[in-house]
Coordinates of all heavy atoms in Angstrom, one line a residue:
Chain A
I32 N 110.9 -176.5 59.2 CA 111.7 -175.4 59.6 C 112.6 -174.8 58.4 O 112.6 -173.6 58.2 CB 112.6 -175.8 60.8 CG1 111.8 -176.1 62.0 CG2 113.7 -174.7 61.1 CD1 112.4 -176.9 63.0
T43 N 121.7 -184.9 57.6 CA 121.4 -183.5 57.8 C 120.2 -183.4 58.8 O 120.2 -182.6 59.7 CB 121.0 -182.8 56.5 OG1 122.1 -183.0 55.6 CG2 120.8 -181.3 56.7
H48 N 118.0 -182.1 64.1 CA 117.2 -182.6 65.2 C 118.0 -182.4 66.5 O 117.5 -181.9 67.5 CB 116.8 -184.0 65.1 CG 115.5 -184.2 64.4 ND1 115.3 -185.2 63.5 CD2 114.3 -183.5 64.5 CE1 114.0 -185.1 63.1 NE2 113.4 -184.1 63.7
R55 N 116.6 -176.4 72.9 CA 115.5 -176.6 73.9 C 116.1 -176.8 75.3 O 115.7 -176.2 76.2 CB 114.7 -177.8 73.4 CG 113.3 -177.8 73.9 CD 112.6 -178.9 73.3 NE 111.6 -179.5 74.2 CZ 110.4 -179.0 74.5 NH1 110.0 -177.9 73.9 NH2 109.6 -179.6 75.3
R96 N 137.1 -181.1 82.1 CA 135.8 -181.7 82.3 C 134.6 -180.8 81.8 O 133.5 -181.1 82.0 CB 135.6 -182.0 83.8 CG 136.6 -182.9 84.3 CD 136.2 -183.7 85.5 NE 137.4 -184.3 86.0 CZ 137.7 -184.4 87.3 NH1 136.7 -184.1 88.2 NH2 138.8 -185.0 87.7
E152 N 115.2 -181.6 83.7 CA 115.6 -182.7 82.8 C 114.5 -183.7 82.6 O 114.3 -184.1 81.4 CB 116.8 -183.4 83.4 CG 118.1 -182.5 83.3 CD 119.3 -183.0 84.1 OE1 119.1 -183.8 85.0 OE2 120.4 -182.5 83.9
K154 N 111.4 -183.1 82.8 CA 110.4 -182.4 81.9 C 110.8 -182.5 80.4 O 110.0 -182.8 79.5 CB 110.2 -181.0 82.3 CG 109.1 -180.2 81.6 CD 108.8 -178.9 82.3 CE 108.1 -177.9 81.4 NZ 106.9 -178.4 80.8
Q157 N 110.2 -186.0 79.2 CA 109.0 -186.7 79.6 C 108.3 -187.4 78.4 O 107.6 -188.4 78.7 CB 108.0 -185.6 80.1 CG 107.5 -184.7 79.1 CD 106.6 -183.6 79.7 OE1 106.2 -183.6 80.8 NE2 106.3 -182.6 78.9
N158 N 108.7 -187.1 77.2 CA 108.0 -187.8 76.1 C 108.6 -189.1 75.7 O 108.2 -189.8 74.8 CB 108.1 -186.9 74.8 CG 107.0 -185.8 74.9 OD1 106.3 -185.7 75.9 ND2 107.1 -184.9 73.9
E163 N 113.7 -196.2 76.4 CA 114.1 -195.4 75.2 C 115.3 -194.4 75.5 O 116.1 -194.2 74.7 CB 112.9 -194.5 74.7 CG 111.9 -195.4 74.0 CD 110.6 -194.6 73.7 OE1 110.2 -193.7 74.5 OE2 109.9 -195.0 72.8
E166 N 118.3 -196.5 75.3 CA 118.6 -196.7 73.8 C 119.2 -195.4 73.3 O 120.3 -195.5 72.6 CB 117.2 -196.8 73.2 CG 117.1 -197.6 71.9 CD 115.7 -197.7 71.5 OE1 114.8 -198.3 72.2 OE2 115.4 -197.1 70.4
N168 N 120.8 -193.1 74.9 CA 122.1 -192.9 75.5 C 123.2 -193.8 74.7 O 124.3 -193.3 74.5 CB 122.1 -193.4 76.9 CG 121.8 -192.2 77.8 OD1 122.2 -191.1 77.5 ND2 121.1 -192.4 78.9
R173 N 127.9 -193.5 71.3 CA 128.6 -193.9 70.1 C 129.0 -192.7 69.3 O 130.1 -192.6 68.7 CB 127.9 -194.9 69.2 CG 128.2 -196.3 69.7 CD 127.8 -197.3 68.6 NE 126.5 -197.7 68.8 CZ 125.7 -198.1 67.8 NH1 126.2 -198.1 66.5 NH2 124.5 -198.5 68.0
N177 N 135.2 -191.0 69.6 CA 136.0 -190.6 68.4 C 136.8 -191.9 67.9 O 138.0 -192.0 68.2 CB 137.1 -189.6 68.7 CG 136.5 -188.5 69.6 OD1 135.3 -188.4 69.7 ND2 137.4 -187.7 70.2
N178 N 136.1 -192.7 67.2 CA 136.8 -193.9 66.9 C 137.7 -193.7 65.6 O 138.4 -194.6 65.2 CB 135.9 -195.1 66.6 CG 135.1 -194.9 65.4 OD1 135.1 -193.9 64.8 ND2 134.4 -195.9 65.0
S179 N 137.8 -192.5 65.2 CA 138.7 -192.2 64.0 C 139.0 -190.8 64.0 O 138.9 -190.1 63.0 CB 138.1 -192.7 62.7 OG 136.8 -192.1 62.6
Q182 N 141.5 -189.6 61.3 CA 141.1 -189.6 59.9 C 140.4 -188.2 59.5 O 139.3 -187.9 59.9 CB 140.0 -190.7 59.7 CG 139.3 -190.7 58.4 CD 138.1 -191.5 58.5 OE1 138.1 -192.6 59.1 NE2 137.0 -191.1 57.9
Chain B
I8 N 133.4 -187.8 83.0 CA 133.6 -186.4 82.9 C 133.2 -185.7 84.2 O 134.0 -184.9 84.7 CB 132.7 -185.9 81.7 CG1 133.3 -186.4 80.4 CG2 132.7 -184.3 81.7 CD1 132.3 -186.4 79.3
T19 N 119.7 -187.1 83.7 CA 120.9 -186.3 83.7 C 121.9 -186.8 82.7 O 122.5 -186.0 82.0 CB 121.5 -186.2 85.1 OG1 120.5 -185.8 86.1 CG2 122.7 -185.3 85.2
H24 N 124.8 -186.3 77.6 CA 125.2 -186.9 76.4 C 124.8 -186.0 75.2 O 125.5 -185.7 74.3 CB 124.5 -188.2 76.2 CG 125.3 -189.4 76.7 ND1 124.8 -190.4 77.4 CD2 126.6 -189.6 76.6 CE1 125.7 -191.3 77.7 NE2 126.8 -190.8 77.3
N29 N 126.3 -182.2 71.0 CA 126.1 -180.9 70.4 C 127.4 -180.1 70.3 O 127.7 -179.5 69.3 CB 125.1 -180.1 71.2 CG 124.7 -178.9 70.5 OD1 123.9 -178.9 69.6 ND2 125.2 -177.7 70.9
R31 N 130.3 -181.4 70.0 CA 131.0 -182.0 69.0 C 130.5 -181.5 67.6 O 131.3 -181.1 66.7 CB 130.8 -183.5 69.1 CG 131.9 -184.3 68.5 CD 131.7 -185.8 68.9 NE 132.0 -186.6 67.8 CZ 133.3 -187.0 67.5 NH1 134.2 -186.6 68.3 NH2 133.6 -187.8 66.5
R72 N 112.6 -169.5 61.7 CA 113.2 -170.8 61.3 C 114.6 -170.9 61.8 O 115.3 -171.9 61.5 CB 113.3 -170.8 59.7 CG 111.9 -170.6 59.2 CD 111.8 -171.2 57.8 NE 110.5 -170.7 57.3 CZ 110.3 -170.5 56.0 NH1 111.3 -170.6 55.1 NH2 109.1 -170.0 55.6
E128 N 128.7 -183.9 58.4 CA 127.6 -184.6 59.0 C 127.8 -186.1 59.0 O 127.5 -186.8 59.9 CB 126.3 -184.1 58.4 CG 125.9 -182.7 58.8 CD 124.8 -182.1 57.9 OE1 124.4 -182.7 56.9 OE2 124.3 -181.1 58.3
K130 N 130.5 -187.7 58.7 CA 131.6 -188.1 59.6 C 131.2 -188.1 61.0 O 131.5 -189.0 61.8 CB 132.7 -187.1 59.4 CG 134.0 -187.4 60.2 CD 135.1 -186.5 59.7 CE 136.2 -186.4 60.8 NZ 136.8 -187.6 61.2
Q133 N 129.1 -191.3 61.5 CA 129.7 -192.5 60.9 C 129.5 -193.7 61.8 O 129.5 -194.9 61.3 CB 131.1 -192.3 60.5 CG 132.1 -192.2 61.7 CD 133.5 -191.8 61.2 OE1 133.8 -191.9 60.1 NE2 134.3 -191.5 62.2
N134 N 129.4 -193.5 63.1 CA 129.4 -194.6 64.0 C 128.0 -195.3 64.1 O 127.8 -196.3 64.9 CB 129.8 -194.2 65.4 CG 131.3 -194.1 65.5 OD1 132.0 -194.4 64.5 ND2 131.8 -193.6 66.6
E139 N 119.6 -196.8 62.5 CA 119.7 -196.3 63.8 C 119.5 -194.8 63.8 O 119.0 -194.2 64.7 CB 121.2 -196.6 64.4 CG 121.3 -198.0 64.8 CD 122.7 -198.4 65.2 OE1 123.7 -197.8 64.6 OE2 122.9 -199.3 66.0
E142 N 115.9 -194.2 63.9 CA 115.4 -194.5 65.2 C 115.7 -193.3 66.1 O 114.9 -192.7 66.8 CB 116.3 -195.7 65.8 CG 115.7 -196.5 66.8 CD 116.7 -197.6 67.1 OE1 117.1 -198.4 66.2 OE2 117.2 -197.7 68.3
N144 N 116.2 -190.2 65.1 CA 115.4 -189.1 64.7 C 114.0 -189.2 65.3 O 113.4 -188.2 65.7 CB 115.2 -189.1 63.1 CG 116.3 -188.3 62.5 OD1 116.7 -187.3 63.0 ND2 116.8 -188.8 61.3
R149 N 110.4 -186.6 69.1 CA 109.5 -186.5 70.2 C 110.0 -185.6 71.3 O 109.2 -184.9 72.0 CB 109.4 -187.9 70.8 CG 108.2 -188.7 70.1 CD 107.7 -189.8 71.0 NE 108.5 -191.0 70.6 CZ 108.7 -192.0 71.4 NH1 108.3 -191.9 72.7 NH2 109.4 -193.0 71.0
N153 N 106.5 -180.2 71.8 CA 106.0 -179.6 73.1 C 104.6 -180.1 73.4 O 103.7 -179.4 73.2 CB 106.0 -178.1 73.1 CG 107.2 -177.5 72.4 OD1 108.2 -178.2 72.3 ND2 107.1 -176.3 72.0
N154 N 104.5 -181.3 73.8 CA 103.1 -181.8 74.0 C 102.5 -181.3 75.3 O 101.4 -181.6 75.7 CB 103.1 -183.3 74.0 CG 103.7 -183.9 75.2 OD1 104.3 -183.3 76.0 ND2 103.5 -185.2 75.3
S155 N 103.3 -180.4 76.0 CA 102.7 -179.9 77.2 C 103.4 -178.6 77.6 O 103.9 -178.4 78.7 CB 102.7 -180.8 78.4 OG 104.1 -181.3 78.6
Q158 N 102.1 -176.6 80.6 CA 102.4 -177.2 82.0 C 103.7 -176.7 82.5 O 104.8 -177.2 82.2 CB 102.4 -178.7 81.8 CG 102.9 -179.4 83.1 CD 103.2 -180.8 82.7 OE1 102.6 -181.5 81.9 NE2 104.3 -181.4 83.3

Side-chain angles (χ1 to χ4, degrees):
Chain A
I32 292 159
T43 305
H48 269 139
R55 205 171 144 80
R96 304 206 191 143
E152 288 168 345
K154 185 167 158 58
Q157 67 185 352
N158 285 355
E163 283 168 335
E166 206 178 298
N168 270 328
R173 270 200 269 152
N177 318 344
N178 72 352
S179 53
Q182 170 197 322
Chain B
I8 293 159
T19 304
H24 269 139
N29 191 75
R31 205 171 144 82
R72 303 206 192 145
E128 289 168 345
K130 185 168 157 57
Q133 68 185 351
N134 285 354
E139 283 170 334
E142 206 178 299
N144 270 326
R149 269 200 271 153
N153 318 342
N154 71 352
S155 53
Q158 169 198 322

